[in-house]
Coordinates of all heavy atoms in Angstrom, one line a residue:
M80 N 91.4 54.0 50.7 CA 92.3 54.7 49.8 C 93.6 54.0 49.8 O 94.3 53.9 50.9 CB 92.3 56.2 50.1 CG 93.3 56.9 49.2 SD 93.4 58.7 49.7 CE 92.5 59.3 48.3
P81 N 94.1 53.5 48.7 CA 95.5 52.9 48.7 C 96.6 53.9 49.0 O 96.5 55.0 48.5 CB 95.6 52.3 47.3 CG 94.6 53.0 46.5 CD 93.5 53.6 47.4
R82 N 97.5 53.4 49.7 CA 98.7 54.3 50.0 C 99.7 54.3 48.9 O 100.0 53.2 48.3 CB 99.3 53.8 51.3 CG 100.4 54.7 51.8 CD 100.8 54.4 53.2 NE 101.9 55.2 53.5 CZ 102.7 55.2 54.6 NH1 102.4 54.3 55.5 NH2 103.7 56.0 54.8
I83 N 100.2 55.4 48.5 CA 101.2 55.5 47.5 C 102.6 55.6 48.1 O 102.8 56.3 49.0 CB 100.9 56.7 46.6 CG1 99.6 56.6 45.9 CG2 102.0 56.9 45.6 CD1 99.2 57.6 44.9
Y84 N 103.4 54.7 47.6 CA 104.8 54.7 48.0 C 105.7 55.3 47.0 O 105.4 55.3 45.8 CB 105.2 53.2 48.3 CG 104.5 52.6 49.5 CD1 103.3 51.9 49.3 CD2 104.9 52.8 50.8 CE1 102.6 51.3 50.3 CE2 104.3 52.2 51.8 CZ 103.1 51.5 51.6 OH 102.5 51.0 52.7
N85 N 106.9 55.7 47.4 CA 107.9 56.2 46.5 C 109.1 55.2 46.5 O 109.6 55.0 47.5 CB 108.4 57.5 46.9 CG 107.4 58.6 46.6 OD1 106.8 58.7 45.5 ND2 107.1 59.5 47.5
Y86 N 109.4 54.7 45.3 CA 110.6 53.9 45.1 C 111.3 54.5 44.0 O 110.7 55.0 43.0 CB 110.2 52.4 44.9 CG 109.5 51.8 46.0 CD1 108.1 51.7 46.0 CD2 110.2 51.3 47.1 CE1 107.4 51.1 47.0 CE2 109.5 50.8 48.2 CZ 108.1 50.7 48.1 OH 107.4 50.1 49.2
F87 N 112.6 54.5 44.0 CA 113.4 55.1 43.0 C 114.5 54.1 42.5 O 115.1 53.5 43.3 CB 114.2 56.3 43.6 CG 113.2 57.4 44.1 CD1 112.8 57.4 45.5 CD2 112.7 58.4 43.3 CE1 112.0 58.3 46.0 CE2 111.9 59.3 43.8 CZ 111.5 59.3 45.1
V88 N 114.6 54.1 41.2 CA 115.8 53.5 40.6 C 116.7 54.7 40.2 O 116.3 55.7 39.7 CB 115.4 52.7 39.3 CG1 116.7 52.2 38.6 CG2 114.5 51.6 39.6
Y89 N 118.0 54.5 40.6 CA 118.9 55.6 40.4 C 120.2 55.2 39.8 O 120.6 54.0 40.0 CB 119.2 56.3 41.8 CG 119.8 55.5 42.8 CD1 121.2 55.4 43.0 CD2 119.0 54.6 43.6 CE1 121.7 54.6 44.0 CE2 119.6 53.8 44.6 CZ 120.9 53.8 44.8 OH 121.5 53.0 45.7
I90 N 120.9 56.1 39.1 CA 122.2 55.8 38.5 C 123.1 56.8 39.1 O 122.9 58.0 39.0 CB 122.1 55.8 37.0 CG1 121.1 54.8 36.5 CG2 123.5 55.6 36.4 CD1 120.9 54.8 35.0
L91 N 124.2 56.3 39.6 CA 125.3 57.2 40.1 C 126.5 57.1 39.2 O 126.8 56.1 38.7 CB 125.7 56.8 41.5 CG 124.6 56.7 42.6 CD1 125.2 56.2 43.9 CD2 124.0 58.1 42.8
E92 N 127.1 58.3 39.0 CA 128.5 58.3 38.4 C 129.5 58.3 39.5 O 129.4 59.3 40.3 CB 128.6 59.4 37.4 CG 130.0 59.4 36.7 CD 130.1 60.6 35.8 OE1 129.3 61.4 35.7 OE2 131.2 60.6 35.1
C93 N 130.4 57.4 39.5 CA 131.4 57.4 40.5 C 132.6 58.2 40.1 O 132.8 58.6 39.0 CB 131.9 55.9 40.7 SG 130.5 54.8 41.3
A94 N 133.5 58.5 41.1 CA 134.7 59.3 40.8 C 135.6 58.7 39.7 O 136.3 59.4 39.0 CB 135.5 59.5 42.1
D95 N 135.6 57.4 39.6 CA 136.4 56.7 38.6 C 135.7 56.6 37.2 O 136.1 55.9 36.3 CB 136.9 55.3 39.0 CG 135.7 54.3 39.2 OD1 134.5 54.7 39.0 OD2 136.0 53.2 39.5
K96 N 134.5 57.3 37.1 CA 133.7 57.3 35.9 C 132.9 56.1 35.6 O 132.3 55.9 34.5 CB 134.5 57.8 34.6 CG 135.2 59.1 34.8 CD 134.1 60.2 34.9 CE 134.8 61.6 35.0 NZ 133.9 62.6 35.6
S97 N 132.9 55.1 36.5 CA 132.1 54.0 36.4 C 130.7 54.3 36.9 O 130.5 55.4 37.5 CB 132.6 52.8 37.2 OG 132.6 53.1 38.6
Y98 N 129.7 53.5 36.7 CA 128.3 53.7 37.1 C 127.8 52.7 38.1 O 128.2 51.5 38.0 CB 127.4 53.8 35.9 CG 127.7 55.0 35.1 CD1 128.6 55.0 34.0 CD2 127.1 56.2 35.3 CE1 128.9 56.1 33.3 CE2 127.3 57.4 34.6 CZ 128.2 57.3 33.6 OH 128.5 58.4 32.8
Y99 N 126.9 53.1 38.9 CA 126.3 52.2 39.9 C 124.8 52.4 39.7 O 124.3 53.6 39.7 CB 126.7 52.6 41.3 CG 126.0 51.8 42.4 CD1 126.5 50.5 42.7 CD2 124.9 52.2 43.0 CE1 125.8 49.7 43.6 CE2 124.2 51.5 43.9 CZ 124.7 50.2 44.2 OH 124.0 49.4 45.2
V100 N 124.0 51.3 39.7 CA 122.6 51.4 39.6 C 122.0 50.7 40.9 O 122.4 49.7 41.3 CB 122.1 50.6 38.4 CG1 120.6 50.6 38.3 CG2 122.7 51.1 37.1
G101 N 121.0 51.4 41.4 CA 120.4 50.9 42.7 C 118.9 51.2 42.8 O 118.4 52.0 42.0
V102 N 118.3 50.7 43.8 CA 116.9 51.0 44.2 C 116.8 51.4 45.6 O 117.5 50.9 46.5 CB 116.0 49.7 44.0 CG1 114.6 50.0 44.5 CG2 116.0 49.3 42.6
T103 N 116.0 52.4 45.9 CA 115.8 52.9 47.2 C 114.4 53.5 47.4 O 113.7 53.8 46.4 CB 116.8 54.0 47.6 OG1 116.7 54.3 49.0 CG2 116.7 55.2 46.8
N104 N 114.0 53.6 48.7 CA 112.7 54.3 49.0 C 113.0 55.7 49.5 O 112.0 56.5 49.8 CB 111.8 53.5 49.9 CG 112.5 53.4 51.3 OD1 113.6 53.7 51.5 ND2 111.7 52.9 52.2
D105 N 114.2 56.1 49.6 CA 114.6 57.5 50.0 C 115.8 57.9 49.3 O 117.0 57.6 49.8 CB 114.7 57.6 51.6 CG 114.8 59.0 52.0 OD1 115.4 59.9 51.4 OD2 114.2 59.3 53.1
L106 N 115.7 58.6 48.3 CA 116.8 58.9 47.4 C 117.8 59.8 48.1 O 119.0 59.6 48.0 CB 116.3 59.6 46.1 CG 117.2 59.7 44.9 CD1 117.8 58.4 44.5 CD2 116.5 60.3 43.8
E107 N 117.4 60.8 48.8 CA 118.3 61.7 49.5 C 119.2 61.0 50.5 O 120.4 61.2 50.5 CB 117.5 62.9 50.1 CG 118.3 64.0 50.6 CD 117.4 65.1 51.1 OE1 116.4 65.4 50.5 OE2 117.8 65.7 52.2
I108 N 118.5 60.2 51.3 CA 119.3 59.5 52.4 C 120.3 58.5 51.7 O 121.4 58.4 52.1 CB 118.4 58.8 53.3 CG1 117.7 59.8 54.3 CG2 119.1 57.7 54.2 CD1 116.7 59.2 55.2
R109 N 119.8 57.8 50.7 CA 120.7 56.8 50.0 C 121.9 57.4 49.4 O 123.0 56.9 49.5 CB 119.8 56.0 49.0 CG 120.6 54.8 48.5 CD 120.8 53.8 49.6 NE 121.5 52.7 49.1 CZ 122.8 52.3 49.5 NH1 123.3 53.0 50.5 NH2 123.4 51.3 49.0
L110 N 121.7 58.6 48.7 CA 122.8 59.3 48.1 C 123.8 59.7 49.2 O 125.0 59.5 49.0 CB 122.3 60.5 47.4 CG 123.4 61.3 46.6 CD1 124.1 60.4 45.6 CD2 122.7 62.5 45.9
A111 N 123.3 60.2 50.3 CA 124.2 60.5 51.4 C 125.0 59.3 52.0 O 126.2 59.4 52.3 CB 123.4 61.2 52.6
Q112 N 124.3 58.2 52.1 CA 125.0 56.9 52.5 C 126.1 56.6 51.6 O 127.2 56.2 52.0 CB 124.0 55.8 52.6 CG 123.0 56.0 53.8 CD 121.9 54.9 53.7 OE1 121.5 54.4 52.6 NE2 121.3 54.7 54.9
H113 N 125.9 56.7 50.3 CA 126.9 56.3 49.3 C 128.1 57.3 49.5 O 129.3 56.9 49.6 CB 126.4 56.4 47.9 CG 125.6 55.3 47.4 ND1 126.2 54.0 47.2 CD2 124.3 55.1 47.1 CE1 125.3 53.2 46.7 NE2 124.1 53.8 46.7
N114 N 127.8 58.6 49.6 CA 128.9 59.6 49.7 C 129.6 59.6 51.0 O 130.8 59.9 51.1 CB 128.4 60.9 49.3 CG 128.5 61.2 47.9 OD1 129.5 60.8 47.2 ND2 127.4 61.8 47.3
N115 N 128.9 59.1 52.1 CA 129.5 59.0 53.4 C 130.3 57.8 53.6 O 131.1 57.6 54.6 CB 128.5 59.2 54.5 CG 127.9 60.5 54.5 OD1 128.5 61.5 54.1 ND2 126.6 60.6 55.1
G116 N 130.2 56.8 52.7 CA 130.9 55.6 52.8 C 130.5 54.7 54.0 O 131.3 54.2 54.7
E117 N 129.2 54.6 54.2 CA 128.7 53.8 55.3 C 128.9 52.3 55.2 O 128.8 51.7 56.3 CB 127.2 54.2 55.5 CG 127.0 55.6 55.9 CD 125.6 56.0 56.3 OE1 124.8 55.1 56.6 OE2 125.4 57.2 56.4
N118 N 129.1 51.8 54.1 CA 129.3 50.4 53.9 C 130.7 50.1 53.2 O 130.8 50.3 52.0 CB 128.2 49.7 53.1 CG 128.3 48.2 52.9 OD1 129.3 47.6 53.3 ND2 127.3 47.6 52.4
V119 N 131.6 49.6 53.9 CA 133.0 49.4 53.4 C 133.0 48.4 52.3 O 133.9 48.3 51.5 CB 134.0 49.1 54.4 CG1 134.2 50.2 55.4 CG2 133.7 47.8 55.1
L120 N 132.0 47.5 52.2 CA 131.9 46.5 51.2 C 131.1 46.9 49.9 O 131.1 46.2 48.9 CB 131.2 45.2 51.7 CG 131.9 44.6 52.9 CD1 131.1 43.4 53.5 CD2 133.3 44.2 52.6
A121 N 130.6 48.1 50.0 CA 129.8 48.6 48.8 C 130.7 49.0 47.6 O 131.8 49.4 47.8 CB 129.0 49.9 49.3
Y122 N 130.2 48.8 46.5 CA 130.9 49.1 45.2 C 131.4 50.6 45.2 O 132.5 50.9 44.8 CB 130.0 48.9 44.0 CG 130.6 49.2 42.7 CD1 131.5 48.4 42.1 CD2 130.3 50.5 42.1 CE1 132.0 48.7 40.9 CE2 130.9 50.8 40.9 CZ 131.8 50.0 40.3 OH 132.4 50.3 39.1
T123 N 130.6 51.4 45.7 CA 130.9 52.9 45.7 C 131.8 53.3 46.8 O 132.3 54.5 46.7 CB 129.6 53.7 45.8 OG1 128.9 53.4 47.0 CG2 128.7 53.5 44.6
F124 N 132.1 52.5 47.7 CA 133.0 52.9 48.9 C 134.3 53.5 48.5 O 134.7 54.6 48.9 CB 133.2 51.7 49.9 CG 133.9 52.2 51.1 CD1 133.3 52.8 52.1 CD2 135.3 51.9 51.2 CE1 134.0 53.2 53.3 CE2 136.0 52.3 52.3 CZ 135.3 52.9 53.4
T125 N 135.0 52.8 47.6 CA 136.3 53.3 47.1 C 136.2 54.2 45.9 O 137.2 54.6 45.3 CB 137.3 52.1 46.8 OG1 136.7 51.3 45.8 CG2 137.5 51.3 48.1
R126 N 135.0 54.5 45.5 CA 134.8 55.3 44.2 C 134.1 56.6 44.5 O 133.4 57.1 43.6 CB 134.0 54.4 43.2 CG 134.8 53.2 42.8 CD 133.8 52.3 42.0 NE 134.6 51.2 41.4 CZ 134.9 50.1 42.0 NH1 134.5 49.9 43.2 NH2 135.6 49.1 41.4
R127 N 134.2 57.1 45.7 CA 133.6 58.4 46.1 C 134.4 59.5 45.7 O 135.6 59.4 45.6 CB 133.3 58.4 47.6 CG 132.4 57.3 48.1 CD 132.3 57.3 49.6 NE 133.5 56.6 50.1 CZ 134.0 56.9 51.3 NH1 133.4 57.8 52.1 NH2 135.0 56.3 51.8
P128 N 133.8 60.7 45.5 CA 132.3 61.0 45.6 C 131.5 60.4 44.4 O 132.1 60.2 43.4 CB 132.2 62.5 45.7 CG 133.4 62.9 44.9 CD 134.5 61.9 45.2
V129 N 130.3 60.2 44.7 CA 129.4 59.8 43.6 C 128.4 61.0 43.3 O 128.1 61.8 44.1 CB 128.6 58.6 44.0 CG1 129.5 57.4 44.2 CG2 127.7 58.8 45.2
I130 N 127.9 61.0 42.0 CA 127.0 62.1 41.6 C 125.8 61.4 41.0 O 125.9 60.5 40.2 CB 127.7 62.9 40.5 CG1 128.9 63.6 41.0 CG2 126.7 63.9 39.9 CD1 129.8 64.2 39.9
L131 N 124.6 61.8 41.5 CA 123.4 61.3 40.9 C 123.2 61.8 39.5 O 123.2 63.0 39.2 CB 122.2 61.8 41.8 CG 120.8 61.4 41.4 CD1 120.7 59.8 41.5 CD2 119.8 62.1 42.2
K132 N 123.1 60.9 38.6 CA 123.0 61.2 37.2 C 121.5 61.0 36.6 O 121.1 61.7 35.7 CB 123.9 60.4 36.3 CG 125.4 60.6 36.6 CD 125.7 62.1 36.4 CE 126.6 62.3 35.2 NZ 127.0 63.7 35.1
Y133 N 120.8 60.1 37.3 CA 119.4 59.8 36.8 C 118.7 59.1 37.9 O 119.2 58.4 38.7 CB 119.5 58.9 35.6 CG 118.2 58.4 35.1 CD1 117.5 59.1 34.2 CD2 117.7 57.1 35.5 CE1 116.3 58.6 33.7 CE2 116.5 56.7 35.0 CZ 115.8 57.4 34.1 OH 114.6 57.0 33.7
Y134 N 117.3 59.4 37.9 CA 116.5 58.6 38.8 C 115.1 58.6 38.2 O 114.7 59.5 37.4 CB 116.4 59.2 40.2 CG 115.7 60.5 40.3 CD1 114.4 60.6 40.6 CD2 116.4 61.7 40.2 CE1 113.7 61.8 40.7 CE2 115.8 62.9 40.4 CZ 114.5 62.9 40.6 OH 113.8 64.2 40.8
L135 N 114.3 57.6 38.5 CA 112.9 57.4 38.1 C 112.1 56.9 39.2 O 112.6 55.9 39.9 CB 112.9 56.4 36.9 CG 111.6 56.3 36.2 CD1 111.1 57.6 35.6 CD2 111.7 55.2 35.1
R136 N 111.0 57.5 39.5 CA 110.1 57.1 40.6 C 109.1 56.1 40.2 O 108.5 56.1 39.1 CB 109.4 58.3 41.2 CG 108.7 58.1 42.5 CD 107.8 59.2 42.9 NE 106.6 59.2 42.1 CZ 105.6 58.4 42.3 NH1 105.6 57.4 43.1 NH2 104.5 58.5 41.5
F137 N 108.8 55.1 41.1 CA 107.8 54.1 41.0 C 106.9 54.0 42.2 O 107.4 54.3 43.3 CB 108.5 52.7 40.8 CG 109.3 52.6 39.5 CD1 110.6 53.0 39.5 CD2 108.8 52.1 38.4 CE1 111.4 52.9 38.4 CE2 109.5 52.0 37.2 CZ 110.8 52.4 37.2
D138 N 105.7 53.6 42.0 CA 104.7 53.4 43.1 C 104.9 52.0 43.7 O 104.7 51.9 44.9 CB 103.3 53.5 42.6 CG 102.9 54.9 42.2 OD1 103.5 55.9 42.7 OD2 102.1 55.1 41.3
Q139 N 105.3 51.1 42.9 CA 105.4 49.7 43.4 C 106.9 49.2 43.4 O 107.6 49.4 42.3 CB 104.6 48.7 42.5 CG 103.1 49.1 42.5 CD 102.5 49.0 43.8 OE1 102.7 48.0 44.6 NE2 101.6 49.9 44.1
I140 N 107.3 48.6 44.4 CA 108.7 48.1 44.5 C 109.0 47.1 43.4 O 110.1 47.1 42.9 CB 109.1 47.6 45.9 CG1 110.6 47.3 46.0 CG2 108.3 46.3 46.3 CD1 111.5 48.4 45.9
E141 N 108.1 46.3 43.1 CA 108.3 45.2 42.1 C 108.6 45.9 40.7 O 109.5 45.4 40.0 CB 107.1 44.3 41.9 CG 106.7 43.5 43.1 CD 105.9 44.3 44.2 OE1 105.5 45.4 43.9 OE2 105.7 43.7 45.2
D142 N 107.9 47.0 40.4 CA 108.2 47.7 39.1 C 109.6 48.3 39.2 O 110.3 48.3 38.2 CB 107.2 48.8 38.9 CG 105.8 48.2 38.7 OD1 105.6 47.0 38.3 OD2 104.8 48.9 39.0
A143 N 110.0 48.9 40.3 CA 111.3 49.5 40.4 C 112.4 48.4 40.3 O 113.4 48.6 39.6 CB 111.5 50.2 41.8
I144 N 112.2 47.3 40.9 CA 113.2 46.2 40.8 C 113.3 45.7 39.4 O 114.4 45.4 38.9 CB 112.9 45.1 41.8 CG1 113.1 45.6 43.2 CG2 113.7 43.8 41.5 CD1 112.6 44.6 44.3
D145 N 112.2 45.5 38.7 CA 112.2 45.1 37.3 C 113.0 46.0 36.4 O 113.8 45.6 35.6 CB 110.8 44.9 36.8 CG 110.1 43.7 37.3 OD1 110.7 42.8 37.9 OD2 108.8 43.6 37.2
F146 N 112.7 47.3 36.6 CA 113.4 48.3 35.8 C 114.9 48.4 36.1 O 115.7 48.5 35.2 CB 112.8 49.7 36.1 CG 113.4 50.8 35.2 CD1 113.1 50.8 33.8 CD2 114.2 51.7 35.7 CE1 113.6 51.8 33.0 CE2 114.8 52.7 34.9 CZ 114.5 52.8 33.5
E147 N 115.3 48.2 37.4 CA 116.7 48.2 37.8 C 117.4 47.0 37.0 O 118.5 47.2 36.5 CB 116.8 48.0 39.3 CG 118.3 47.9 39.7 CD 118.5 47.3 41.1 OE1 117.6 46.5 41.5 OE2 119.5 47.6 41.7
K148 N 116.7 45.9 37.0 CA 117.3 44.7 36.3 C 117.5 45.0 34.8 O 118.5 44.6 34.2 CB 116.4 43.5 36.5 CG 116.5 42.9 37.9 CD 115.6 41.7 38.1 CE 115.6 41.2 39.5 NZ 114.6 40.1 39.7
Q149 N 116.5 45.6 34.2 CA 116.6 46.0 32.8 C 117.8 46.9 32.5 O 118.5 46.7 31.6 CB 115.3 46.7 32.3 CG 114.1 45.7 32.2 CD 112.8 46.5 31.9 OE1 112.9 47.6 31.4 NE2 111.7 45.9 32.2
V150 N 118.0 47.9 33.4 CA 119.1 48.8 33.2 C 120.4 48.1 33.4 O 121.3 48.2 32.5 CB 119.0 50.0 34.2 CG1 120.3 50.8 34.2 CG2 117.8 50.8 34.0
K151 N 120.5 47.2 34.4 CA 121.8 46.5 34.6 C 122.0 45.5 33.5 O 123.2 45.4 33.0 CB 121.7 45.7 36.0 CG 121.9 46.7 37.1 CD 121.8 45.9 38.4 CE 122.1 46.8 39.6 NZ 122.1 46.0 40.9
D152 N 121.0 44.9 33.0 CA 121.2 43.9 31.8 C 121.6 44.7 30.6 O 122.5 44.2 29.9 CB 119.9 43.2 31.5 CG 119.5 42.1 32.6 OD1 120.4 41.8 33.4 OD2 118.4 41.7 32.6
G153 N 121.1 45.9 30.4 CA 121.5 46.7 29.2 C 122.9 47.1 29.3 O 123.6 47.1 28.3
I154 N 123.4 47.5 30.5 CA 124.8 47.9 30.7 C 125.7 46.7 30.4 O 126.7 46.8 29.8 CB 125.0 48.4 32.1 CG1 124.3 49.8 32.2 CG2 126.4 48.5 32.5 CD1 124.2 50.3 33.7
E155 N 125.3 45.5 30.9 CA 126.1 44.3 30.7 C 126.2 43.9 29.2 O 127.3 43.6 28.8 CB 125.6 43.1 31.5 CG 125.9 43.2 33.0 CD 127.4 43.3 33.3 OE1 128.2 42.5 32.8 OE2 127.7 44.2 34.0
R156 N 125.1 44.0 28.5 CA 125.1 43.8 27.1 C 126.0 44.7 26.4 O 126.8 44.3 25.5 CB 123.7 43.9 26.5 CG 122.8 42.6 26.7 CD 121.6 42.6 25.9 NE 120.7 43.8 26.1 CZ 119.8 43.9 27.1 NH1 119.7 43.0 27.9 NH2 119.1 45.0 27.2
K157 N 126.0 46.0 26.7 CA 126.9 46.9 26.1 C 128.4 46.6 26.4 O 129.2 46.7 25.5 CB 126.6 48.4 26.5 CG 125.3 48.9 25.9 CD 125.0 50.3 26.2 CE 123.8 50.8 25.5 NZ 123.5 52.2 25.8
K158 N 128.7 46.2 27.6 CA 130.0 45.9 28.0 C 130.5 44.7 27.2 O 131.6 44.7 26.7 CB 130.1 45.5 29.5 CG 130.1 46.7 30.4 CD 130.3 46.1 31.9 CE 130.1 47.2 32.9 NZ 130.1 46.6 34.3
K159 N 129.7 43.7 27.1 CA 130.0 42.4 26.3 C 130.2 42.8 24.9 O 131.2 42.3 24.2 CB 128.9 41.4 26.5 CG 129.0 40.7 27.9 CD 127.9 39.7 28.0 CE 127.9 39.2 29.5 NZ 126.8 38.2 29.7
H160 N 129.4 43.6 24.3 CA 129.5 44.0 22.9 C 130.8 44.7 22.7 O 131.6 44.4 21.7 CB 128.3 44.9 22.5 CG 128.5 45.4 21.1 ND1 128.3 44.7 20.0 CD2 128.8 46.7 20.7 CE1 128.5 45.4 18.9 NE2 128.8 46.6 19.3
Y161 N 131.2 45.6 23.6 CA 132.4 46.4 23.5 C 133.6 45.4 23.6 O 134.6 45.5 22.8 CB 132.5 47.4 24.6 CG 133.8 48.1 24.6 CD1 134.2 49.1 23.6 CD2 134.8 47.8 25.6 CE1 135.4 49.7 23.6 CE2 136.0 48.5 25.6 CZ 136.3 49.4 24.6 OH 137.6 50.0 24.6
L162 N 133.6 44.5 24.5 CA 134.7 43.6 24.7 C 134.9 42.7 23.5 O 136.0 42.4 23.0 CB 134.5 42.7 26.0 CG 134.6 43.5 27.3 CD1 134.3 42.6 28.5 CD2 136.0 44.2 27.4
K163 N 133.8 42.3 22.9 CA 133.9 41.5 21.6 C 134.5 42.3 20.5 O 135.2 41.9 19.7 CB 132.5 40.9 21.3 CG 132.1 39.8 22.1 CD 130.7 39.3 21.7 CE 130.2 38.1 22.6 NZ 128.9 37.7 22.2
K164 N 134.0 43.6 20.5 CA 134.5 44.5 19.4 C 136.0 44.7 19.4 O 136.6 44.8 18.4 CB 133.7 45.8 19.6 CG 133.9 46.8 18.4 CD 133.1 48.0 18.6 CE 133.2 49.0 17.5 NZ 132.4 50.1 17.6
I165 N 136.5 44.7 20.6 CA 138.0 44.9 20.7 C 138.8 43.6 20.7 O 140.0 43.6 20.9 CB 138.4 45.8 22.0 CG1 138.0 45.1 23.3 CG2 137.8 47.2 21.9 CD1 138.6 45.8 24.5
G166 N 138.0 42.5 20.5 CA 138.7 41.2 20.4 C 138.9 40.5 21.6 O 139.7 39.5 21.6
M167 N 138.3 40.8 22.7 CA 138.5 40.1 24.0 C 137.6 38.9 24.0 O 136.4 39.0 23.7 CB 138.2 41.0 25.1 CG 139.1 40.9 26.3 SD 138.7 42.2 27.5 CE 140.2 42.0 28.5
K168 N 138.1 37.8 24.5 CA 137.2 36.6 24.6 C 136.5 36.6 25.9 O 137.1 37.0 27.0 CB 138.1 35.3 24.5 CG 138.7 35.2 23.1 CD 139.3 33.9 22.9 CE 139.9 33.8 21.5 NZ 140.2 32.5 21.1
L169 N 135.2 36.2 25.9 CA 134.4 36.2 27.1 C 134.3 34.8 27.7 O 134.3 33.8 27.1 CB 133.0 36.8 26.8 CG 133.0 38.2 26.3 CD1 131.6 38.6 25.9 CD2 133.6 39.1 27.3

């Protein structure tokens, strides 16, 4: 019988209203790590507290990573579109 794993793609809203997208195999522990500031180099370290806004569970890590990339690419496209709209050169 194949073993089922849990992988999560999650989106956090930071205190500065920016967003962070990540992948984990333990959502509860990862959220605590972000809010406890365990990594001083992490994007969220100076933007705490963070709030979990969305998550999606996957059985396979490859599927979770692919979805994370899609989300991040979508966010980048929206940023670029907005910057062009306000006349900023990229």
